[in-house]
Amino acid sequence: MKTFFGNRLLNAITIAVVTVLIIVVLSIWQYQRIRDTGVVIRHTSNVLAQSQEVQRMTSQFEVNVKNFLLTGDSSFLDTAGRIAAPLPAAIDSLRLLVTDDPGQRGRIDSLQFYVSSNRDVLERAMRLSKGGEFGGAAALINAEARTGYSHHIQSTIEQLETGQRRILDIRRGANQQKATQLQWALWCLIGAVVVLALFIFRKIRIDLAHERSGRLSSEDKYKMLFDKSPLPKWIYDEATMRFLEVNGTAMREYGYTREEFLGMTIADIRPREDIDRLVKDVESIRDNPLAYRNSQWRHIKKNGEVIDVDVTAHAIDFDGRQARMVVVNDITDRRRYEEQLRRLNTDLAKRAAELSSSNSELERFAYIASHDLQEPLRMVSSFLQLLQRKYNGQLDAKADQYIHYAVDGAERMKALIMDLLEYSRVGTGKENFVPVDTSVVMQEVGDIFREKIISARAKVEIGDLPVVVGDKVQLTQLFQNLLSNALKYHSETPPVIRIGSKDEGACWRFSVEDNGIGIDPQFFDKIFIIFQRLHNKTDYSGTGIGLAICKKIVERHGGRIWVESSPQHGSAFHFTIHKKG
């Protein structure tokens, strides 16, 4: 019912406002019409004034000419000349004023003709009089009187003025009617404004009544929410810091009764070492009382337990006092977990630093060891080869076999050391990363293995390869190792090797697939471990470090490497390279 009544008032106010707007628009339009009519009336008055001026000038010219003819006084001629000079211009001005009225333009043409003819007659009479032919001048004047130019001039001007006065009367009547309509419109406007004011006043009264009723209802709801809140809440006076109100949850959580709370200040539930900070905080609140605060404190319960809390406070008016309402959330457990997590993170960071240092030392050791072992190994290998060449066939078969084993072991040791040296050189930094066109890299790798590809009758299919950000030397080594394995571990069927890529959003996924001997799934993880071999060295050459180097290169570029394979069905090595390097 209230909603219906409120809608009726709102609709009435809307109608009143629209009515006022319409009346205002009509009043402006009517005022514009009255102003236009006023312009027309002034124009008509100008036409009448100008026609009377032409009539006056014509009459004065004629009178001065006739006075000269009667008296012979030349001063009348001077006056007549001064009057005659501006007469054509006066008629032209009159013609301009009636350009929008064809009937009046015809009368102006007639008036100009009569004035010009009358002036010619009078000027001839003056010339005859100056020559002493007074009889001829008198006869001419008498003839003009019979012709009636003066009468025609008078008649034409009267017709002109009569027409203009008739137009003037019509326009004045229309203007009076418009003025009356405007007056009525203004009265309607005043009435509408009064009605609108009454409606608005009534609506305001009703809204104020509803607001008072709603405020009382809201206060009840607010008090219920305050009392029933699952979080501790209280209200304190900003000036004295005393508790003014407290809810049941706060009493249960802190252990104080309501009377005990109302006899305390907010400083009484703070540890002594936090009082200075509390005083500064309260002073800042007084400087900016409307500020919304969210901060973390320590509170003391009645049993002496200190808890960590998250406090949210905002300004309110409480019984005429400037106060703040506080909502408290116990975060003691969260703080404890955060502290444990911080210690764990610290320990992890320390362990990571130690591991990084250990890895760096191991890499340096591997590099130094592999580098320093090359010289004595080179000497052992060289002397064994010299021994083999010098005494080959001179000793018994057993000695030749032992020498062969020693030379072969030295060569394999040399290969292991070189591979270890290469593995240690694959660093973890990204200082050498640049845009690398992998299609160009693959062409260079294909050129390196051209002879092996031809001799193995292999078919290498290279798809579209992207430009990535990385270390070109290491990416070349990565493709070189994978292509070398595909050519090495082939079956009796000529090798078919497919190299391609796929966009996976944040990274590029590359694949190197072959139709070779394949790998048993139980060895998928083992093949990427350094020095792990699946085949006898007499069957397939190598040290078992190539895929470990591939794994290290891929991980340095923010990706991972894996294999999909089964025995005798070929292998597909996949690895990803992050687009950002």
Side-chain angles (χ1 to χ4, degrees):
M1 187 66 183
K2 291 181 178 179
T3 304
F4 175 72
F5 185 64
N7 289 339
R8 288 185 61 189
L9 282 177
L10 183 60
N11 293 336
I13 292 173
T14 303
I15 293 172
V17 171
V18 172
T19 303
V20 169
L21 291 176
I22 292 174
I23 293 174
V24 169
V25 172
L26 290 176
S27 299
I28 295 172
W29 174 69
Q30 193 70 2
Y31 170 76
Q32 185 68 34
R33 291 179 61 195
I34 292 173
R35 191 177 66 175
D36 295 342
T37 303
V39 172
V40 173
I41 291 173
R42 287 192 296 273
H43 177 268
T44 303
S45 299
N46 291 337
V47 172
L48 291 173
Q50 188 65 22
S51 64
Q52 291 173 1
E53 178 66 16
V54 170
Q55 183 178 11
R56 184 188 65 78
M57 294 173 66
T58 303
S59 299
Q60 288 184 356
F61 175 73
E62 184 175 350
V63 168
N64 280 278
V65 172
K66 290 181 179 180
N67 286 339
F68 167 73
L69 294 176
L70 292 174
T71 62
D73 188 352
S74 61
S75 62
F76 290 110
L77 288 179
D78 295 337
T79 302
R82 287 195 301 272
I83 294 171
L87 189 55
I91 295 174
D92 290 339
S93 297
L94 184 59
R95 179 181 286 105
L96 289 175
L97 290 173
V98 297
T99 52
D100 57 342
D101 191 340
Q104 294 289 52
R105 287 203 305 270
R107 293 189 181 96
I108 297 299
D109 293 339
S110 299
L111 177 63
Q112 187 175 24
F113 171 74
Y114 294 140
V115 169
S116 178
S117 299
N118 187 45
R119 182 178 175 182
D120 290 341
V121 170
L122 293 175
E123 286 178 349
R124 286 202 306 273
M126 285 190 297
R127 287 195 296 273
L128 290 174
S129 177
K130 288 179 181 180
E133 298 181 9
F134 299 107
L140 191 58
I141 292 298
N142 290 333
E144 189 276 332
R146 289 192 301 271
T147 307
Y149 288 127
S150 298
H151 172 72
H152 287 305
I153 291 173
Q154 181 68 29
S155 176
T156 302
I157 290 176
E158 287 177 355
Q159 292 175 6
L160 179 65
E161 291 179 350
T162 299
Q164 290 300 122
R165 286 192 179 93
R166 184 172 62 255
I167 295 173
L168 183 59
D169 291 339
I170 294 172
R171 290 173 177 172
R172 280 176 176 170
N175 197 29
Q176 183 62 38
Q177 183 181 4
K178 293 174 183 177
T180 303
Q181 294 173 354
L182 178 59
Q183 187 176 11
W184 277 107
L186 291 176
W187 279 114
C188 292
L189 175 61
I190 293 171
V193 170
V194 171
V195 172
L196 178 60
L198 291 174
F199 272 115
I200 292 175
F201 178 72
R202 185 179 181 186
K203 185 70 168 69
I204 290 173
R205 288 186 59 189
I206 294 173
D207 288 345
L208 288 174
H210 288 169
E211 184 179 353
R212 284 194 295 271
S213 174
R215 186 164 58 247
L216 293 175
S217 176
S218 296
E219 288 176 357
D220 293 339
K221 294 178 181 177
Y222 176 79
K223 185 171 180 57
M224 183 186 70
L225 291 173
F226 180 84
D227 291 335
K228 302 299 182 181
S229 172
L231 295 176
K233 288 186 178 182
W234 56 69
I235 300 172
Y236 73 90
D237 191 319
E238 285 189 0
T240 64
M241 296 195 298
R242 284 193 170 276
F243 288 98
L244 300 176
E245 189 59 83
V246 64
N247 72 349
T249 306
M251 291 185 281
R252 288 191 301 272
E253 293 288 337
Y254 284 76
Y256 296 103
T257 65
R258 186 174 186 277
E259 289 71 21
E260 287 174 330
F261 260 119
L262 298 184
M264 298 163 56
T265 69
I266 59 175
D268 294 330
I269 60 171
R270 260 69 172 194
R272 186 177 299 277
E273 57 270 22
D274 291 353
I275 299 300
D276 290 340
R277 179 190 165 202
L278 176 64
V279 172
K280 292 179 181 178
D281 187 70
V282 171
E283 289 177 353
S284 67
I285 289 174
R286 289 169 182 165
D287 295 335
N288 189 11
L290 298 180
Y292 177 87
R293 294 298 179 92
N294 191 346
S295 55
Q296 294 181 348
W297 294 89
R298 293 186 302 163
H299 285 176
I300 303 176
K301 294 183 178 182
K302 188 175 180 178
N303 60 9
E305 180 186 356
V306 178
I307 60 173
D308 293 303
V309 294
D310 187 60
V311 175
T312 302
H314 63 274
I316 65 169
D317 181 78
F318 187 82
D319 292 338
R321 298 182 183 182
Q322 186 65 39
R324 296 187 80 80
M325 189 178 76
V326 176
V327 181
V328 180
N329 186 19
D330 188 344
I331 59 171
T332 305
D333 291 338
R334 191 182 79 187
R335 277 287 181 87
R336 188 180 300 116
Y337 295 148
E338 288 176 352
E339 180 62 24
Q340 292 176 355
L341 183 62
R342 185 188 64 79
R343 288 197 298 268
L344 287 174
N345 287 335
T346 302
D347 292 342
L348 286 174
K350 183 178 179 181
R351 290 172 183 265
E354 292 173 353
L355 182 60
S356 176
S357 176
S358 176
N359 286 340
S360 298
E361 290 177 359
L362 286 174
E363 288 178 359
R364 286 195 297 271
F365 172 76
Y367 177 80
I368 293 171
S370 60
H371 185 272
D372 292 347
L373 284 175
Q374 287 186 71
E375 182 59 30
L377 183 62
R378 188 181 300 111
M379 291 182 64
V380 171
S381 178
S382 298
F383 280 105
L384 284 173
Q385 290 175 1
L386 288 173
L387 185 64
Q388 184 182 38
R389 284 197 298 271
K390 184 173 183 179
Y391 295 103
N392 186 28
Q394 298 181 21
L395 302 176
D396 59 7
K398 211 66 168 171
D400 290 340
Q401 185 180 14
Y402 292 159
I403 292 173
H404 172 74
Y405 287 158
V407 171
D408 181 65
E411 289 298 323
R412 286 191 292 109
M413 177 64 74
K414 181 179 179 181
L416 284 171
I417 291 174
M418 292 302 295
D419 286 345
L420 181 62
L421 181 62
E422 190 66 35
Y423 184 80
S424 66
R425 285 174 176 171
V426 181
T428 58
K430 298 184 178 181
E431 57 277 359
N432 296 326
F433 280 19
V434 294
V436 179
D437 190 341
T438 54
S439 63
V440 175
V441 169
M442 200 59 230
Q443 290 176 3
E444 295 174 355
V445 171
D447 292 339
I448 294 173
F449 289 99
R450 184 180 300 277
E451 295 299 327
K452 285 188 177 181
I453 292 171
I454 294 173
S455 63
R457 294 181 295 118
K459 180 180 180 182
V460 180
E461 300 176 358
I462 302 175
D464 294 332
L465 299 179
V467 175
V468 299
V469 177
D471 188 318
K472 183 178 180 181
V473 174
Q474 292 183 0
L475 290 176
T476 302
Q477 187 177 12
L478 172 63
F479 282 105
Q480 184 174 327
N481 287 351
L482 293 176
L483 182 59
S484 175
N485 284 351
L487 291 170
K488 182 191 299 184
Y489 300 106
H490 66 83
S491 60
E492 296 179 357
T493 305
V496 177
I497 304 169
R498 297 182 180 86
I499 302 168
S501 65
K502 183 180 179 181
D503 189 346
E504 293 191 342
C507 61
W508 289 100
R509 188 180 78 178
F510 295 85
S511 60
V512 179
E513 303 177 20
D514 62 59
N515 61 341
I517 61 175
I519 304 171
D520 194 308
Q522 63 177 321
F523 301 120
F524 283 178
D525 294 331
K526 183 179 179 181
I527 61 175
F528 294 107
I529 300 174
I530 189 170
F531 297 135
Q532 294 293 318
R533 294 175 50 87
L534 303 183
H535 305 281
N536 192 290
K537 66 183 181 66
T538 58
D539 297 330
Y540 297 98
S541 63
T543 60
I545 201 173
L547 289 177
I549 292 177
C550 290
K551 183 174 183 291
K552 196 171 183 181
I553 291 172
V554 169
E555 289 176 348
R556 186 193 176 204
H557 288 75
R560 66 186 185 94
I561 186 170
W562 69 99
V563 64
E564 296 174 354
S565 179
S566 61
Q568 306 306 321
H569 289 86
S571 303
F573 283 87
H574 303 276
F575 63 91
T576 59
I577 300 293
H578 201 280
K579 288 185 176 180
K580 294 184 179 179

